[in-house]
């Protein structure tokens, strides 16, 4: 399991849109200059995972023991994955709402929170919405965190991110292609980034530049 794979996201590549305050808070968290426990809340594709990974990536040059745990991906492994984390100074837990309703996971999260709160360690966690935890004490601990609500980017910001990510891959994205994608494709960032992966692969395989006809071919191949 790639529990600490933070190579794809950093603060510089995060488009804040209306989330500038949350970005500043997570930067401070990674610098250990703000509150030790911070909670990010927002719908899918609002950048929660990006910020968590960026925060942990920023700690790498400092030699700090840090880790990202994608809980939605780890559910099947069992709540024991949260055991023996005392040596981790900076811990980011993504998608804690995925654990709601599971007594073992909730108890482990509760114990972990208490362990962090009673030490000098730091905790950054995220959820798509307010988790419906059955354990009242865990719900109260979560509400005691500093909570930042993340908002979806506007279409102009999404287009800017898509073009920047394409440029970073050495893939020129003409305005006509960008406009076509924004008109024809679902405009959540997860979908747009997945399409960019497909276009990058197709352009390389076919030895072609990124054009509207190529985008049409990629989209048609899905059906």
């Amino acid at each position: 399991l790639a529990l600490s794979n933070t190579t794809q996201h950093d603060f510089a590549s995060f488009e804040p849109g209306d989330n500038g305050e949350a970005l500043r808070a997570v930067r401070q968290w990674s610098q250990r200059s703000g509150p030790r426990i911070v909670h990010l809340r927002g719908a899918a594709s609002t950048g929660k995972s990006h910020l968590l990974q960026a925060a942990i990536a920023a700690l790498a040059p400092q030699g700090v023991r840090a880790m990202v745990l994608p809980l939605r991906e780890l559910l099947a492994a069992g709540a024991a994955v949260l055991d023996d984390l005392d040596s981790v100074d900076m811990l980011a837990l993504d998608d804690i709402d995925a654990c709601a309703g599971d007594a073992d996971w909730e108890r482990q999260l509760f114990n972990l929170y208490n362990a962090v709160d009673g030490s000098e360690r730091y905790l950054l966690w995220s959820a798509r919405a307010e988790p419906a935890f059955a354990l009242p004490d865990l719900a109260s601990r979560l509400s005691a965190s500093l909570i930042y609500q993340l908002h979806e980017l506007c279409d102009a910001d999404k287009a800017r991110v898509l073009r920047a990510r394409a440029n970073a891959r050495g893939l020129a994205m003409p305005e006509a292609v960008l406009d076509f994608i924004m008109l024809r494709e679902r405009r959540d960032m997860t979908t747009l980034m997945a399409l960019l992966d497909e276009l990058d692969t197709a352009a390389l395989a076919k030895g072609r530049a990124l054009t509207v006809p190529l985008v049409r071919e990629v989209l048609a191949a899905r059906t």
Side-chain angles (χ1 to χ4, degrees):
L1 293 172
L3 300 183
S4 298
N5 180 16
T6 59
T7 58
Q8 298 180 7
H9 297 101
D10 55 28
F11 289 129
S13 62
F14 183 78
E15 175 63 48
D18 293 331
N19 300 311
E21 188 176 355
L23 173 59
R24 286 189 293 273
V26 177
R27 280 185 180 275
Q28 289 179 340
W29 184 90
S30 69
Q31 296 163 358
R32 291 173 288 178
S33 61
R36 290 190 300 106
I37 300 178
V38 176
H39 172 46
L40 302 181
R41 187 177 294 168
S45 300
T46 52
K48 301 184 301 299
S49 298
H50 188 139
L51 283 177
L52 264 63
Q53 293 183 32
I56 299 303
L59 291 163
Q62 304 176 37
V64 176
R65 291 166 296 186
M67 179 181 291
V68 178
L69 291 176
L71 298 191
R72 197 174 301 277
E73 299 175 24
L74 295 175
L75 282 180
V81 298
L82 298 182
D83 286 340
D84 303 321
L85 295 177
D86 294 345
S87 64
V88 180
D89 299 314
M90 310 285 287
L91 184 61
L93 302 180
D94 204 5
D95 290 325
I96 62 170
D97 50 312
C99 303
D102 187 303
D104 290 338
W105 274 100
E106 291 194 14
R107 177 60 60 182
Q108 285 285 64
L109 286 173
F110 176 70
N111 292 338
L112 177 62
Y113 179 98
N114 288 337
V116 170
D117 194 37
S119 68
E120 296 301 315
R121 297 154 66 200
Y122 283 68
L123 178 62
L124 176 64
W125 49 8
S126 78
R128 293 183 181 179
E130 183 175 358
F133 289 133
L135 186 62
D137 288 340
L138 176 58
S140 67
R141 296 298 190 277
L142 180 62
S143 64
S145 303
L146 183 60
I147 300 175
Y148 289 91
Q149 181 73 41
L150 294 183
H151 306 282
E152 187 177 3
L153 295 176
C154 67
D155 284 353
D157 288 339
K158 291 176 182 178
R160 183 162 50 250
V161 171
L162 186 59
R163 171 170 278 170
R165 296 287 180 85
N167 289 340
R169 297 169 180 236
L171 191 62
M173 181 171 287
E175 193 71 27
V177 171
L178 186 59
D179 290 344
F180 182 83
I181 291 172
M182 296 302 292
L183 284 172
R184 298 298 182 93
E185 184 57 288
R186 287 171 47 198
R187 293 192 296 277
D188 63 274
M189 290 308 302
T190 299
T191 298
L192 291 174
M193 292 301 102
L195 176 59
L196 181 59
D197 286 339
E198 293 181 64
L199 293 174
D200 193 9
T201 299
L204 181 63
K206 298 174 182 292
R208 294 168 57 184
L210 191 54
T211 62
V212 170
L214 179 59
V215 177
R216 288 184 187 275
E217 290 177 22
V218 170
L219 294 178
R222 293 176 171 179
T223 60

